[in-house]
Amino acid sequence: MSSTPVPPDFPQICAAFPLTGPVTAAEPYGSGHINETYLVRTAAADGRRYIFQKVNHRIFRNVPALMENVQRVTTHVAAKVRAAAGEAAARRALTLVPTRDGRAWLQDAVGGYWRVYDFITGAHAVDRVTDAEQAREAARAFGTFQAQLADLPGGRLHETIPNFHHTRSRFENLRRAVTEDAAGRAAEVRAEIDFAFAHETDADRLLTLQARGEISERVTHNDTKINNVMLDDVTGRTVAVIDLDTIMPGLPLYDFGEMVRTSASSTFEDDPNPANMRIQLPYFRALVEGYLGSPVGQVLNAVERAHLGFAGQLMTYENGIRFLTDYLQGDVYYRIRHPRHNLERCRTQFALVASIETARDEMAAIVQEVFARR
Ligand code: ADP
Ligand code: GN1
Ligand code: MG
């Protein structure tokens, strides 16, 4: 659960939005690491609920640009979903609730940015995959979502966080954090620093392929964590892809790799015991089947296909070095629940990197098998 309590000025914030009934309750919601998310219940006859989010503008430096992206993406996806799903479409795409004066967001008295979405009913997000079907669903959903964005009109989206998945620049941030050692923690995490430095060359692999033109940029989600897809409470099928703040130009391999990190892993990303963490090959197979079976499967080239397993390793490595960097900098980025949280997250990510390295050949064989069967 989010640990940020409902702020004292919340009633004024609610009043700026045309909710269908008076607010009866508001509570912190979800387990995202970045934004503050609240569930708001109302006394409306239809029991209408809303998701209020305070966007973290220390991390997202240009919230108006971010919200322009979100508006463009939600409008485009909603139109596609309506065409395909008719009446059932309402909960299949995030729907922004504009302020009373028609804006996509509200700026509060102290400069905070708020937005409101309709609550997606009858669905839930999970922090960990517990069966292969969930993994297949998530991959199908993110693959379909990416395909829906392929013809997004209006030019290039804003980069809401520059160099978000630029692993070379993530690596250089780590190197700087080690040198500066702002929180005096470098000596304690020597083993993790050594692991990160030993894998430095991985940071350039996809960037090099991209520079050579062998793989190319598309509109991607960039945060395809399993808890960023809502699954139906009854059928377990995907209802909607959420958390649109990092939708911008990226590589499809980043999206697939992040799915491997969070959906083909044996435990939570912050399991305090790294020995519990390993790659789950049946879930990896399900991800490959779901992703290659989605419309995106038709447009991936052979180089992209050959790097599906490596993408998982790279995104896990990237998250590991980001957690380590944050630990070294004194926990300035991610929300933490205890002082060693970022270190535990890092260790458990590095355990998964090592496990994926060991399973490299088996993963390559799975990709080939699934591809050959299509
Ligand atoms: P963060 O960027 O902090 O991860 P998210 O947008 O992913 O924020 O929201 C956090 C959590 O809130 C999600 O994992 C999901 O459980 C829940 N959530 C977000 N939007 C909705 C929505 N429209 N309807 C229902 N639940 C939602
Ligand atoms: C953050 O916002 P959330 O919790 O879905 C982070 C991702 C990381 C993830 C690690 C904007 O995602 O990049 O992979 O934590 N989002 C941002 O769990 O930095
Ligand atoms: Mg999220």
Side-chain angles (χ1 to χ4, degrees):
M1 272 307 202
S2 162
S3 53
T4 315
V6 177
D9 59 344
F10 203 63
Q12 286 97 285
I13 288 152
C14 291
F17 292 89
L19 310 184
T20 51
V23 172
T24 53
E27 63 204 58
Y29 196 70
S31 51
H33 298 343
I34 306 294
N35 295 320
E36 289 173 31
T37 302
Y38 304 94
L39 167 63
V40 167
R41 297 175 201 275
T42 67
D46 58 0
R48 199 70 176 267
R49 285 171 286 171
Y50 299 91
I51 286 287
F52 276 63
Q53 278 183 325
K54 185 176 185 192
V55 181
N56 186 329
H57 74 276
R58 197 172 38 78
I59 288 176
F60 296 106
R61 305 306 279 261
N62 185 348
V63 181
L66 177 153
M67 289 305 297
E68 194 183 305
N69 281 4
V70 169
Q71 271 186 301
R72 285 176 59 192
V73 167
T74 50
T75 307
H76 186 71
V77 172
K80 295 234 160 169
V81 164
R82 254 196 315 276
E87 277 303 292
R91 64 181 200 137
R92 296 205 150 261
L94 274 179
T95 309
L96 275 171
V97 178
T99 61
R100 289 185 189 279
D101 52 9
R103 292 170 182 275
W105 76 92
L106 171 78
Q107 195 158 22
D108 67 19
V110 289
Y113 290 89
W114 290 87
R115 67 168 169 229
V116 178
Y117 287 119
D118 275 329
F119 185 83
I120 296 173
T121 53
H124 61 282
V126 297
D127 286 322
R128 195 194 136 196
V129 162
T130 47
D131 65 70
E133 209 37 55
Q134 278 174 343
R136 199 184 331 272
E137 258 316 290
R140 211 184 271 144
F142 283 121
T144 303
F145 186 79
Q146 195 186 303
Q148 286 168 339
L149 293 176
D151 60 350
L152 181 78
R156 205 167 188 268
L157 288 169
H158 300 288
E159 285 192 42
T160 58
I161 299 181
N163 290 333
F164 191 57
H165 287 309
H166 195 287
T167 22
R168 169 50 57 185
S169 97
R170 293 290 186 189
F171 184 86
E172 296 309 330
N173 290 347
L174 171 65
R175 202 201 298 277
R176 215 170 310 118
V178 173
T179 308
E180 289 170 4
D181 196 14
R185 291 168 163 176
E188 173 210 351
V189 296
R190 206 61 250 175
E192 287 71 29
I193 294 170
D194 288 349
F195 183 94
F197 283 19
H199 287 75
E200 178 183 351
T201 53
D202 285 346
D204 298 318
R205 266 178 74 180
L206 295 189
L207 293 167
T208 305
L209 292 173
Q210 187 179 4
R212 284 202 217 123
E214 294 186 41
I215 58 179
S216 42
E217 180 184 283
R218 299 206 183 85
V219 177
T220 48
H221 183 285
N222 295 304
D223 190 4
T224 55
K225 262 168 96 159
I226 185 65
N227 67 11
N228 286 331
V229 58
M230 304 291 300
L231 303 173
D232 188 277
D233 289 342
V234 177
T235 64
R237 301 294 301 260
T238 301
V239 175
V241 165
I242 62 166
D243 202 343
L244 312 178
D245 298 335
T246 54
I247 297 192
M248 55 184 154
L251 298 177
L253 285 172
Y254 297 147
D255 278 1
F256 188 79
E258 182 65 13
M259 287 183 234
V260 175
R261 180 181 82 84
T262 61
S263 298
S265 48
S266 56
T267 188
F268 298 101
E269 76 176 6
D270 61 348
D271 190 318
N273 183 3
N276 291 334
M277 180 56 103
R278 73 196 79 84
I279 185 79
Q280 301 273 77
L281 293 179
Y283 294 0
F284 177 74
R285 178 186 293 275
L287 285 177
V288 176
E289 286 169 352
Y291 199 58
L292 292 187
S294 80
V296 154
Q298 307 297 325
V299 296
L300 287 186
N301 68 24
V303 177
E304 287 167 320
R305 275 198 313 275
H307 287 82
L308 291 174
F310 174 72
Q313 183 181 324
L314 182 69
M315 293 309 295
T316 310
Y317 174 67
E318 180 190 296
N319 276 275
I321 64 177
R322 289 176 64 193
F323 290 136
L324 184 56
T325 303
D326 200 30
Y327 187 71
L328 288 165
Q329 291 178 334
D331 308 311
V332 294
Y333 188 92
Y334 297 104
R335 185 176 297 126
I336 53 164
R337 285 195 303 274
H338 58 86
R340 292 169 74 76
H341 205 165
N342 274 318
L343 179 57
E344 290 182 353
R345 288 166 172 157
C346 161
R347 287 186 173 149
T348 297
Q349 296 310 290
F350 285 171
L352 183 57
V353 170
S355 171
I356 297 176
E357 268 184 315
T358 311
R360 193 177 55 191
D361 294 346
E362 285 159 282
M363 291 167 80
I366 289 171
V367 174
Q368 284 208 328
E369 243 179 74
V370 175
F371 182 67
R373 259 198 282 118
R374 286 166 65 243

